Amino acid sequence: MIGKRLHDWTKADIDALISGQAPEDDGIEFKEDHNSKNGRRADPWLQGGSVGDKARNEVIEEVVAFANGHGGTVIVGVEETDSKPARAASIAPLPRCGELAERFKNFCRDMIEPRPAIVDVVPIVTEGDDWGVVAIYTPKPMSGPHRHTATKECYVRRGDSSERMTMREIQDLTLLLDRGVKAIERRFEERRAHLFEQRAGLLDSKAFTIQATLLPLSEIFADSVHAVPAFEPPMRSFVAESEIEQFRCEVKTPVGDWGSWRPDIRSRRIDGEHGRSLRREVHRDGLIEYRLEHSLREGDSTLPFEWLLSIFAKLYLLRVAFETQLALRESPMGLNLPLTFMEVN
């Protein structure tokens, strides 16, 4: 399979799936250009119109099934074989694939309830200016069960096929997801209690302490987090854009000239002048945390907003590092990690 994040896929990766005759399984589904309701004429999208209901509903059904299973990717625009399981046979490029990706992004938003926390929809140009395929990825669920609003059915992926869930399966998945959410909430409470415990040792009442914690939404495990170049991303300056507020600004790290990171058992620390220190923890189970302590000097009343934004941007960079490192080994479709709103260049 492809050992990279979905947004980095190119035509060469689709060609690799085809040359390797990749089979459909519980993590990937291929869809070619669909027929309309009568099964005899091409979908209106191929004739310059809108996406037909049949094609739309079939793709959303697969997305729902992955969202209720272990996560997976639907690739629209790849012809499959008639074998069992079906395998990638050739590219059947779709026109206006960039616009088509936007349409499917809206379909995933409006036709799946509850809405999945993360659905990545990416166009991959394979020929010409805008002919290609659309890849739709949804990770392992943290909410749900999800259902298709058009059919009012819940689906789940079983091997290389998507099937309707039974009432017992819906109940079992509901209980399982509830336990997972409570486990994450407990971990956040533990880190919050740890912060207060550390904060109690500070005698300076004029000191600020900020702690930002990032937790994976599904179980992951890294072989090592020390001496791994990917976990030492450049932190000097970058441009950040939020999908929520649509702002753009340049941010510089507040600790750019403090000194070098010093290793600890599960963390690294920088101590600076004027009562400033920054601790970063990277755990093998995916927990990433930054804690900034800063004693206010005379005349200071607040921390610069850029410092806070910088910490969140660093969490994003380390999240990408984790996703990239583990994808190369065991998770070709990427990882379901939070804090996806930051785009860093």
Side-chain angles (χ1 to χ4, degrees), residues 55-69 71-72 74 103-121 136-139 141-156 165 173 177:
R56 179 201 63 195
N57 290 343
E58 287 185 359
V59 171
I60 296 302
E61 177 182 318
E62 302 294 348
V63 177
V64 169
F66 283 131
N68 285 329
V74 183
R103 296 287 183 95
F104 275 113
K105 186 180 297 185
N106 292 334
F107 294 153
C108 292
R109 180 195 64 199
D110 299 335
M111 300 187 66
I112 303 176
E113 59 178 19
R115 186 186 305 174
I118 301 173
V119 177
D120 290 331
V121 185
I136 307 172
Y137 166 72
T138 182
M142 285 303 297
S143 64
H146 304 279
R147 74 167 185 167
H148 194 314
T149 60
T151 65
K152 308 301 182 185
E153 294 281 358
C154 296
Y155 302 93
V156 69
M165 298 178 69
L173 181 58
L177 293 174

Side-chain angles (χ1 to χ4, degrees), residues 199 203-209 294-300:
R199 186 71 179 84
L203 299 178
D204 189 350
S205 61
K206 295 183 178 180
F208 273 97
T209 302
H294 176 70
S295 296
L296 294 177
R297 290 173 286 181
E298 181 130 2
D300 291 341

Side-chain angles (χ1 to χ4, degrees), residues 43-219:
D43 187 85
W45 184 263
L46 301 178
Q47 311 299 325
S50 58
V51 180
D53 292 349
K54 182 176 186 294
R56 179 201 63 195
N57 290 343
E58 287 185 359
V59 171
I60 296 302
E61 177 182 318
E62 302 294 348
V63 177
V64 169
F66 283 131
N68 285 329
H70 301 290
T73 301
V74 183
I75 303 181
V76 186
V78 172
E79 184 180 356
E80 55 193 296
T81 65
D82 294 328
S83 60
K84 187 66 176 177
R87 295 176 178 272
S90 63
I91 297 177
L94 301 170
R96 315 188 312 281
C97 67
E99 181 184 348
L100 184 60
E102 287 299 317
R103 296 287 183 95
F104 275 113
K105 186 180 297 185
N106 292 334
F107 294 153
C108 292
R109 180 195 64 199
D110 299 335
M111 300 187 66
I112 303 176
E113 59 178 19
R115 186 186 305 174
I118 301 173
V119 177
D120 290 331
V121 185
V122 178
I124 304 170
V125 176
T126 60
E127 62 181 67
D129 293 331
D130 203 18
W131 284 75
V133 305
V134 173
I136 307 172
Y137 166 72
T138 182
K140 186 176 180 179
M142 285 303 297
S143 64
H146 304 279
R147 74 167 185 167
H148 194 314
T149 60
T151 65
K152 308 301 182 185
E153 294 281 358
C154 296
Y155 302 93
V156 69
R157 191 73 175 183
R158 295 192 181 100
D160 62 341
S161 63
S162 299
E163 302 175 4
R164 290 183 177 88
M165 298 178 69
T166 64
M167 183 57 67
R168 178 59 182 271
E169 288 175 324
I170 293 174
Q171 293 171 341
D172 289 345
L173 181 58
T174 301
L175 294 174
L176 179 65
L177 293 174
D178 184 61
R179 286 196 295 269
V181 170
K182 288 181 178 177
I184 290 178
E185 290 175 348
R186 284 196 300 271
R187 194 77 189 279
F188 272 123
E189 286 298 330
E190 291 171 1
R191 301 311 298 177
R192 189 176 294 112
H194 178 68
L195 168 63
F196 288 135
E197 180 182 330
Q198 297 294 315
R199 186 71 179 84
L202 295 177
L203 299 178
D204 189 350
S205 61
K206 295 183 178 180
F208 273 97
T209 302
I210 299 174
Q211 179 169 293
T213 305
L214 179 71
L215 286 173
L217 299 183
S218 56
E219 291 186 6

